[in-house]
Amino acid sequence: MHRRIRSPLRKNELILTSLVDIALSLVIGFIVAVPLFFETGIFVSAPGVSRAAADEEGSDIKANIFVADDGTVLLNEAQVSYENLADLLPKLLDRSLERKVVVAAGELVEYDMVMKVLDIAKQSGAADLALLRKRRAN
Amino acid sequence: MKTASIDILPMAAVGLILVLVMMMIAPMVMTHNDTPVNVPQTRTSERKVEENATITYTIDGQLLFNDKPVADLAELENRVEMVVVNDPYVLVVVRADKHVLHSDVLDLLATARRAGALRIACATKRQKEQ
């Protein structure tokens, strides 16, 4: 008759797999959840005051976007929809050296609409986002 | 023959929990996001966990600097200037409600600029992919 001999080591063995699994799941869950819980941001160049365009003649292709009070979007003075803007802007920026996008908006435009345009510009590969505002009469 | 061994498992577990807790707490301590604001949602955004100065503008027109109320733009400029003097490269974050007027946000950005802020960002929230 064989007698089963238990090794004393076996009794003290730790099962690491479950702990490692839980720890790894926590880390992955945390990495996934962070962007949803915390705020992120879009870096912008602080607003400059618009001057006469004539003194800023340059050879680089410009991407000027204007959001009108009624929600109309103009790209270099041509009316475009948000979908068209997402198509046209990358093509325009590919030909630009500075890849700068200047965004201006009417007085009554909501902040969310301008951020939507900035988001599209960023997705299109804009390197620098600038916000423009009109000079106010003092 | 028995060899001396150290059970590192509890230490590793405690270390991991500490790291997770610190990762959770650090962004809360270094930023000033106590005032609830419905910031715009965007697909592209940059996340930088660093100490910043935060200008908050709520839907009801309340203006706060680092979660403390500010009376007007002149006072805001002074408060930002005090921070910028200590660290010219401090990140100034503008947290504005998505339904406020863009022209009001431009005033805040211009104020931060006048106060000498070199790095300015608009706070957004990452849009969930559909």
Side-chain angles (χ1 to χ4, degrees):
Chain A
M1 196 177 150
H2 290 283
R3 204 172 158 197
R4 230 171 148 178
I5 300 165
R6 282 191 183 173
S7 153
L9 268 175
R10 204 165 201 185
K11 216 176 181 182
N12 294 333
E13 244 176 38
L14 284 169
I15 303 161
L16 283 174
T17 324
S18 52
L19 181 100
V20 171
D21 276 355
I22 291 168
L24 208 66
S25 311
L26 275 173
V27 170
I28 291 169
F30 184 75
I31 290 167
V32 171
V34 159
L36 301 176
F37 286 126
F38 294 111
E39 284 171 7
T40 50
I42 287 184
F43 282 78
V44 290
S45 295
V49 178
S50 62
R51 289 178 195 155
D55 63 348
E56 286 184 15
E57 281 297 322
S59 58
D60 196 21
I61 291 171
K62 288 184 173 65
N64 295 323
I65 301 172
F66 180 74
V67 186
D69 288 336
D70 60 353
T72 316
V73 180
L74 304 175
L75 173 62
N76 287 346
E77 296 181 8
Q79 191 176 332
V80 289
S81 65
Y82 282 104
E83 290 77 28
N84 281 345
L85 185 67
D87 288 337
L88 292 170
L89 206 51
K91 291 170 189 165
L92 194 67
L93 290 174
D94 281 345
R95 291 166 173 81
S96 167
L97 291 172
E98 287 186 328
R99 301 179 76 85
K100 185 174 183 175
V101 176
V102 179
V103 180
E107 290 276 312
L108 302 173
V109 174
E110 274 191 4
Y111 175 53
D112 193 32
M113 288 179 77
V114 177
M115 287 310 285
K116 210 170 167 183
V117 170
L118 289 178
D119 190 26
I120 292 171
K122 222 26 182 166
Q123 283 178 63
S124 306
D128 190 12
L129 300 173
L131 294 168
L132 202 68
R133 71 171 186 167
K134 283 182 184 170
R135 187 187 291 275
R136 284 186 181 162
N138 290 324
Chain B
M1 195 182 145
K2 266 193 173 178
T3 52
S5 64
I6 300 169
D7 190 6
I8 61 157
L9 190 68
M11 197 182 73
V14 170
L16 198 73
I17 289 165
L18 275 175
V19 167
L20 283 174
V21 168
M22 282 179 76
M23 281 169 77
M24 285 283 281
I25 289 173
M28 293 174 190
V29 174
M30 290 160 74
T31 57
H32 308 275
N33 300 342
D34 293 347
T35 315
V37 172
N38 194 8
V39 295
Q41 291 198 335
T42 54
R43 284 213 175 92
T44 52
S45 52
E46 293 161 57
R47 178 166 171 72
K48 285 195 174 179
V49 181
E50 63 177 76
E51 199 167 359
N52 61 39
T54 307
I55 300 169
T56 308
Y57 188 56
T58 62
I59 184 77
D60 52 353
Q62 211 184 347
L63 186 60
L64 303 106
F65 181 66
N66 287 347
D67 289 321
K68 289 180 186 111
V70 173
D72 52 16
L73 290 177
E75 191 188 336
L76 178 70
E77 191 175 334
N78 288 337
R79 301 269 288 270
V80 176
E81 209 172 344
M82 279 194 278
V83 174
V84 172
V85 164
N86 289 331
D87 179 7
Y89 297 105
V90 68
L91 176 65
V92 177
V93 179
V94 175
R95 294 177 71 231
D97 192 284
K98 64 181 181 182
H99 295 301
V100 300
L101 288 179
H102 173 64
S103 52
D104 292 344
V105 180
L106 275 185
D107 288 341
L108 299 178
L109 292 168
T111 304
R113 178 74 169 183
R114 271 201 308 275
L118 297 171
R119 296 170 66 222
I120 304 173
C122 296
T124 59
K125 205 155 200 181
R126 183 72 63 86
Q127 205 169 39
K128 286 176 190 168
E129 295 297 328
Q130 287 163 355

